[in-house]
Amino acid sequence: MIIIMNNLTKIKKLKIFFVAAEAAPFIKIGGLGEVMRSLPRAMKELGHDARLFIPKYAKIEADKFPMELEIGELDIAPNEKDPHGLLVSNVLKHLDKESGITAYFLENMEYYEKRANTYSYGDDTIRWVLLSKGALEFIRRSDWKPDVIIASDWQTGFIPNLIKTEFKDDSILSRIATIFVIHNLKFQGMFDPHFVPELEADSGQGPIPDFNDPHILKLNGARRGILYADIINTVSPTYAKEILTPEFGEKLEEILREKRDALYGTLNGIDNEKFNPETDADIPAHYSRSAPAGRYHNKIALQKSFGLPEDDKIFVMGFVNRLTEQKGVDLLKEIAPSLFDNLDFQLVIVGTGDTKYRTAFKELQEKYPARVADAVLIPSRFEPSGLVQMEAMRYGAIPIVRKTGGLADTVTDYYPGIDHGTGFVFEKYEPYAFLIAIVRAWQAYRNKKEWTGLVKRAMSQDFSWKKSAKDYVKLCYSAINKRQSDAPGE
Ligand code: GLC
């Protein structure tokens, strides 16, 4: 054990490989994409060599992100027939000059290049097994060999799986430690885990079927990631506890409980340089924590752009999130009529929802983020971490949140008169509980001094990646340590 620790301390600069289905600025659908932009940067700033591996989707703008061929024709499935060359894949490379991060892209015509969207195809599992196998084959062929792979969500859960099974005797791959990060346990494969009959559920034990075997579509990537990774991480301490219960465990609570010793919850951060009210080019007026009044110019601009009456006194609330059940849209729908009948306020809803809505809304979301409103509604049913509340607070938009997951870890409830709290928190997932929180916020807003205090407190919170990135480094060391002691003699 001591010898292992000595070895580890010698590895000063870790080589960390992030593999995911999305990463900003190349491609971003949700919070995962944002985390894949900012976490590798934060780890790089700590002195480590963090690199990224994602598919090369057609949507990634080639002129904005010049790429060169790194490795041609990967041997992704040497023992499988591929008469039409569907699996032919290359790896391209792009160096981001500003951050110094190298990103690799798996290029494949059939599975990425030809698709207009990122997710939700009838053969998705094939696309993600391809990504997972592509990442590993890349490592075998590349001169750059990571110490640890950080695989995010079910799309890359096959990586820990392959390392521990198919490649257990591979002299290179078998030495690499893995961390499986759960950003959202609801997504486990091409199905809703609650509707899979017990007998058909993927136990995670069998081999990964060939690409042309229809059984491949039934794989549960999240379960496999959890079963085989050296370390499992989720994106907040509260969510790490919640997923051990049937309410949040999405049917994986038992295997998670079995792997409890290897399970962690590390809160996401935000990129404080990108999200900065003093410099942000997306907002018309800049302001700071010491003089937050400047933000009201932005409120007027928001009202203008949404065709709302321009009034800097009225309470403006925003809802900016995926329009899905997870985010509590049904609660909002239910209370909206009473709210409009009884309170004077404005509501701006900007949603990215199913694919069909996404394109239309995306532009709006980028341009007029919730952070410009007075308050932001996040009544999520569950929220592994949530980034919107942190971004909002950084800009002095007050979050109204349900006490779950990362929301519980980042927002403290306001209490009048004693300079306490950074937002409004409610516990039960029910319309009245949400309504009461909104009314409390609306009332607090009428007291300018109290509200300004609240805004300043919210803006003073530090959600930068600094601490969490250090925790991820520790997780990397634990994973490497575990891998070394599990594979003696190597
Ligand atoms: C998922 C979760 C969200 C989290 C994000 C990044 O989108 O739903 O809570 O912030 O991943 O980890």
Side-chain angles (χ1 to χ4, degrees), residues 255-283:
I255 66 157
L256 282 164
R257 261 185 258 142
E258 278 163 29
K259 297 219 44 175
R260 203 186 201 138
D261 290 349
L263 174 66
Y264 295 81
T266 310
L267 188 67
N268 282 336
I270 56 172
D271 180 341
N272 270 350
E273 268 169 48
K274 176 169 182 265
F275 296 107
N276 184 354
E278 296 182 43
T279 52
D280 189 337
D282 279 344
I283 52 173

Side-chain angles (χ1 to χ4, degrees), residues 370-409:
R371 40 193 196 258
V372 161
D374 295 305
V376 178
L377 305 173
I378 315 172
S380 303
R381 188 183 280 277
F382 69 97
E383 196 61 81
S385 160
L387 300 172
V388 174
Q389 81 279 12
M390 298 189 229
E391 292 164 13
M393 281 187 265
R394 174 108 172 105
Y395 286 76
I398 301 305
I400 301 176
V401 306
R402 172 146 184 268
K403 190 172 185 176
T404 183
L407 298 172
D409 293 325

Side-chain angles (χ1 to χ4, degrees), residues 30-32 35 183-184 235 268 322 326-327 383-387:
L32 170 64
V35 172
H183 294 261
N184 193 332
V235 286
N268 282 336
R322 279 179 287 128
Q326 175 194 342
K327 301 293 181 182
E383 196 61 81
S385 160
L387 300 172

